Amino acid sequence: MKADRLSGVARSVVGPASFRPSPGSIPESPGVYRFRGAEGRVIYVGKAKNLRQRLNSYFADFAGLHPRTQTMLTTAVDVDWTVVGTEVEALQLEYSWIKEYDPRFNVKYRDDKSYPYLAVTMGEEFPRVQVLRGAKRKGTRYFGPYSHAWAIRETVDLLLRVFPIRSCSAGVFRRAGQIGRPCLLGYIDKCSAPCVSRVTAVEHRTLAEDFCDFMAGNTGRFMKRLEREMRQAAADQEYERAARLRDDIQALLRAMEKQAVVLGEGTDCDVIALAEDPLEAAVQVFYVRGGRIRGQRGWVVDKVEEAGPGELVEQFLLQMYGDATPEALPREVLVPVLPPDAEAVAELLSEHRKARVEIRVPQRGDKKSLMETVWRNAMESLKQHKLKRASDLTTRSKALQEVADALDLDQAPLRVECYDVSHIQGTDVVASMVVFEDGLARKSEYRRFSVRSTEGDVASIYEVISRRFKRYLEERSATGELDAEPGAEPGIDPETGRPRKFAYPPNLVVVDGGPAQAAAAQRALDELGVDDVAVCGLAKRLEEVWLPGEDLPVILPRSSEALYLLQRVRDEAHRFAITYHRSKRSKSVKESALDEVPGLGPARRQALIKHFGSVKRLREATAAQICEIPGIGPATAETIVSALKGENP
């Protein structure tokens, strides 16, 4: 931030009236404010042109507020604020805090599905074309997103006739190179077969770059080149080659037809439409590049406050483009309504893109027609989401209440932590901690433990629970809840300014196991003096719920939503523990096998694994093949072969 910030805070004991800032204490300046819950966790972040006017609106007429705003205020116990110099700085700080704290009551745009992209791995020696979902990877070029994976595969199948680049996995590619025979695509001319050196790495990369150029919209030069070659082949009476080129041209034309031309050539823009009701909103985006629709994507959002379309558009633009690369931002963003601070948002996006970004509302012509099409998609998306969401919200609320009733809890367990231990005959013992909030997995707060105890599952559960809640008590002390220094912010590390990993306790701890495991978890909490966290164990055999100190289990009906929720939590903890255990075991197996080789250091061990892919393949290699690794001579290679084959070196 360019301007100096001023900060203020108002704290409370209970209820919004008790932490209302005193008259005149809030500045009449632009800034960003935070509401915090009982554990010091930030539950809402907002910005305002006038902090006093905005914050006073929360306390002036509580009964007239939106129901979710009322819930937020009754959950909060204090509010603080930071003054900034300009509206752009307020936008930057608001986005930064939302990203950092992930507040429960802020607008969060969630993908209504996992959209596939066409990806070309240009960072590899032999680039590969494939369908990818999820987070984008460095060194990979992406096209899309598309609505369906089959749409990508149809396009790729057509383009591989003209640009026969690799589409196989790393394992298939290596095996083809080892046996000296390409896969089926190599025989039907839909792959140039770099695995068997039919083309060099440079030639294959040129094909990949041409493929990317075509997908990016530079289609004209390829069509002209193929037409010129077809006419020349016909003139030279090479009719079979001319026919193949004709078919290639038709394949490119069919691929181009799949990307509809909607605007003038050279038009790059994102078209954003919004459909909403009093509780939720759906957003659809069409990505137009070179005048063609290159992809489509959708989001849904729960409204927290009485936010109008302009506020929703503003939040969406910040969240959508906040982490995007400069290349992903278009020159023009078409929206249904301008955000309240349109100039500030445009300035912020322009700074991010390092070039001018314009935010406009289309008024007439093709752009307005396209906006109407995107809006119809958004309406349909909201309709479909509501059909799914209605049962989902009801089911989760019912499940949490059933758990509270069955375990005799004072309130529904909004935060549940589940622990599972994984090992093989007591070796490589690990444990997992998964977190569910409001009945949904919160994967950013998952944790894993390498267990020191070797005395069985009960001892492991005791150790893990002790370690987790010792950290919790340490965090409470560090954040000022246990006689810490004045001025420390609850749940926040004073040195880094970030939320602490174990600062928030669960309402319910679930352990995978029966009465012994539940008792061990309760004993760990008792010894630490933690008396406000409930404990239960879920035994796999009969799906019985065990409470500490009880002789008989709680039997939940097989069809109950409570049992289904506990099973999902337990199964997710088991999956997370197994994943960690497998990675740890795999690493230890690799290390132990090569550790037996005398004179082989970490760098050369890593080079061997990287070259051969696994210890198994290394064990099958000859001394001559091992000598190909830089830094490994004939004597060392013979030693490696002897050690891995169980012979005395």
Side-chain angles (χ1 to χ4, degrees):
M1 298 299 163
K2 297 176 182 177
D4 294 333
R5 294 182 188 160
L6 302 175
S7 297
V9 64
R11 298 193 180 278
S12 82
V13 183
V14 135
S18 61
F19 68 92
R20 179 174 183 170
S22 58
S25 64
I26 311 174
E28 297 179 322
S29 307
V32 184
Y33 55 91
R34 296 177 289 193
F35 283 94
R36 297 181 184 273
E39 300 296 335
R41 187 173 193 167
V42 175
I43 61 172
Y44 184 72
V45 172
K47 67 170 178 59
K49 294 181 180 178
N50 185 316
L51 280 169
R52 179 181 298 180
Q53 182 179 341
R54 185 70 186 95
L55 286 174
N56 283 341
S57 70
Y58 285 101
F59 304 97
D61 181 16
F62 182 80
L65 295 174
H66 190 283
R68 297 192 186 187
T69 307
Q70 292 179 348
T71 303
M72 184 270 287
L73 285 172
T74 53
T75 305
V77 297
D78 67 66
V79 60
D80 62 25
W81 56 85
T82 295
V83 174
V84 296
T86 66
E87 293 177 23
V88 175
E89 290 180 22
L91 282 169
Q92 289 175 323
L93 183 58
E94 180 192 29
Y95 172 71
S96 175
W97 277 358
I98 290 174
K99 182 180 177 183
E100 180 175 339
Y101 299 116
D102 190 20
R104 176 183 171 188
F105 288 97
N106 269 93
V107 167
K108 298 186 187 74
Y109 287 92
R110 308 181 303 277
D111 280 325
D112 55 8
K113 61 182 76 174
S114 177
Y115 284 83
Y117 287 80
L118 189 156
V120 184
T121 57
M122 298 302 291
E124 298 183 14
E125 181 183 8
F126 296 99
R128 172 191 178 192
V129 60
Q130 59 185 315
V131 178
L132 287 180
R133 300 175 187 264
K136 294 189 176 182
R137 308 171 187 175
K138 188 176 181 181
T140 299
R141 289 199 60 181
Y142 290 85
F143 303 94
Y146 291 77
S147 299
H148 304 283
W150 55 260
I152 303 179
R153 295 190 178 99
E154 284 185 357
T155 300
V156 170
D157 187 61
L158 291 168
L159 294 182
L160 288 181
R161 283 187 55 93
V162 186
F163 311 107
I165 66 174
R166 169 192 161 210
S167 59
C168 61
S169 66
V172 171
F173 186 82
R174 281 197 302 269
R175 177 162 178 76
Q178 290 170 352
I179 65 177
R181 190 170 66 244
C183 64
L184 177 62
L185 292 178
Y187 284 107
I188 63 175
D189 296 328
K190 288 196 173 181
C191 179
S192 54
C195 54
V196 293
S197 301
R198 284 188 186 172
V199 295
T200 65
V202 174
E203 291 169 336
H204 185 266
R205 180 167 291 277
T206 300
L207 283 173
E209 289 171 349
D210 288 346
F211 181 98
C212 292
D213 280 349
F214 184 88
M215 288 302 302
N218 301 323
T219 59
R221 68 185 181 94
F222 297 107
M223 299 296 294
K224 291 176 182 177
R225 187 190 72 189
L226 290 176
E227 289 172 355
R228 185 171 59 252
E229 291 178 359
M230 180 184 68
R231 288 192 293 269
Q232 184 61 46
D236 295 341
Q237 298 184 354
E238 297 178 7
Y239 300 118
E240 289 186 5
R241 182 168 180 268
R244 283 197 303 273
L245 290 167
R246 177 202 62 201
D247 292 343
D248 289 348
I249 292 171
Q250 291 175 349
L252 292 186
L253 288 172
R254 288 198 299 275
M256 291 167 62
E257 288 170 1
K258 292 180 180 293
Q259 300 169 342
V261 177
V262 291
L263 300 173
E265 281 192 28
T267 301
D268 291 347
C269 66
D270 289 348
V271 187
I272 300 169
L274 180 72
E276 58 176 326
D277 65 16
L279 297 178
E280 296 174 304
V283 178
Q284 284 282 315
V285 179
F286 278 21
Y287 302 94
V288 179
R289 299 295 183 270
R292 297 176 181 271
I293 298 175
R294 299 295 181 182
Q296 172 188 357
R297 196 172 179 184
W299 288 261
V300 289
V301 63
D302 294 328
K303 292 184 178 179
V304 179
E305 296 187 277
E306 296 182 69
E311 288 82 3
L312 291 173
V313 167
E314 180 178 290
Q315 289 293 331
F316 177 74
L317 293 176
L318 293 176
Q319 292 186 36
M320 178 180 175
Y321 296 118
D323 292 326
T325 60
E327 298 77 20
L329 269 73
R331 291 192 295 266
E332 186 177 26
V333 178
L334 302 180
V335 295
V337 294
L338 289 175
D341 301 318
E343 292 184 5
V345 175
E347 184 179 342
L348 188 61
L349 297 184
S350 299
E351 287 180 8
H352 190 48
R353 183 175 180 256
K354 298 180 176 59
R356 178 65 181 164
V357 174
E358 295 185 0
I359 301 175
R360 293 179 178 173
V361 178
Q363 301 295 331
R364 63 183 68 83
D366 292 340
K367 291 182 179 179
K368 184 173 176 58
S369 298
L370 181 58
M371 174 67 76
E372 292 172 353
T373 300
V374 183
W375 176 78
R376 286 194 293 271
N377 278 266
M379 289 291 291
E380 181 63 25
S381 176
L382 181 61
K383 177 182 174 182
Q384 295 299 322
H385 169 72
K386 288 184 72 65
L387 290 174
K388 299 176 185 176
R389 179 73 171 171
S391 61
D392 184 44
L393 275 173
T394 304
T395 300
R396 285 193 282 123
S397 300
K398 182 180 178 183
L400 291 170
Q401 191 56 52
E402 285 183 1
V403 170
D405 295 340
L407 304 185
D408 196 24
L409 304 179
D410 294 334
Q411 60 180 1
L414 296 181
R415 180 182 172 103
V416 179
E417 292 180 2
C418 185
Y419 298 81
D420 185 31
V421 175
S422 181
H423 60 85
I424 292 181
Q425 297 180 341
T427 62
D428 293 325
V429 184
V430 300
S432 66
M433 173 188 118
V434 302
V435 179
F436 274 57
E437 288 192 351
D438 296 329
L440 296 175
R442 193 176 179 88
K443 294 191 176 184
S444 62
E445 300 201 14
Y446 285 14
R447 299 290 179 262
R448 57 191 191 183
F449 303 82
S450 184
V451 180
R452 307 181 187 103
S453 174
T454 58
E455 299 177 6
D457 287 358
V458 174
S460 298
I461 286 290
Y462 172 81
E463 177 191 325
V464 171
I465 297 295
S466 297
R467 287 166 57 185
R468 186 266 184 265
F469 283 91
K470 281 180 183 175
R471 287 290 302 276
Y472 162 57
L473 295 175
E474 290 170 2
E475 303 290 14
R476 287 184 65 192
S477 176
T479 55
E481 294 184 49
L482 295 179
D483 301 326
E485 67 276 5
E489 292 187 86
I492 305 301
D493 189 321
E495 295 182 1
T496 65
R498 295 183 175 277
R500 296 176 182 271
K501 289 184 178 180
F502 293 95
Y504 309 116
N507 303 109
L508 174 65
V509 164
V510 180
V511 294
D512 183 19
Q517 284 83 358
Q522 187 64 60
R523 188 171 74 255
L525 293 176
D526 291 343
E527 291 177 1
L528 293 170
V530 178
D531 57 4
D532 56 351
V533 175
V535 175
C536 74
L538 183 60
K540 283 192 183 74
R541 191 170 67 88
L542 298 175
E543 302 292 27
E544 299 167 332
V545 179
W546 289 91
L547 297 176
E550 298 292 334
D551 296 329
L552 297 174
V554 176
I555 306 297
L556 295 173
R558 286 285 177 177
S559 60
S560 73
E561 296 298 337
L563 180 59
Y564 178 64
L565 173 62
L566 292 177
Q567 286 173 329
R568 281 197 299 126
V569 173
R570 189 268 319 279
D571 293 345
E572 178 69 355
H574 183 66
R575 179 200 65 79
F576 193 50
I578 286 290
T579 302
Y580 180 38
H581 181 257
R582 284 175 179 165
S583 67
K584 188 174 181 181
R585 189 174 73 244
S586 174
K587 183 179 179 181
S588 65
V589 167
K590 290 178 184 178
E591 290 176 348
S592 62
L594 292 176
D595 280 345
E596 297 174 1
V597 181
L600 196 63
R604 289 196 287 181
R605 284 202 299 268
Q606 186 177 1
L608 284 165
I609 293 296
K610 184 176 181 181
H611 181 82
F612 290 99
S614 68
V615 175
K616 180 181 178 182
R617 288 200 180 95
L618 176 59
R619 190 174 282 115
E620 296 169 354
T622 64
Q625 290 172 321
I626 295 174
C627 280
E628 296 175 3
I629 308 298
I632 296 181
T636 305
E638 291 292 348
T639 304
I640 293 170
V641 171
S642 299
L644 292 181
K645 291 184 177 179
E647 302 171 1
N648 293 324

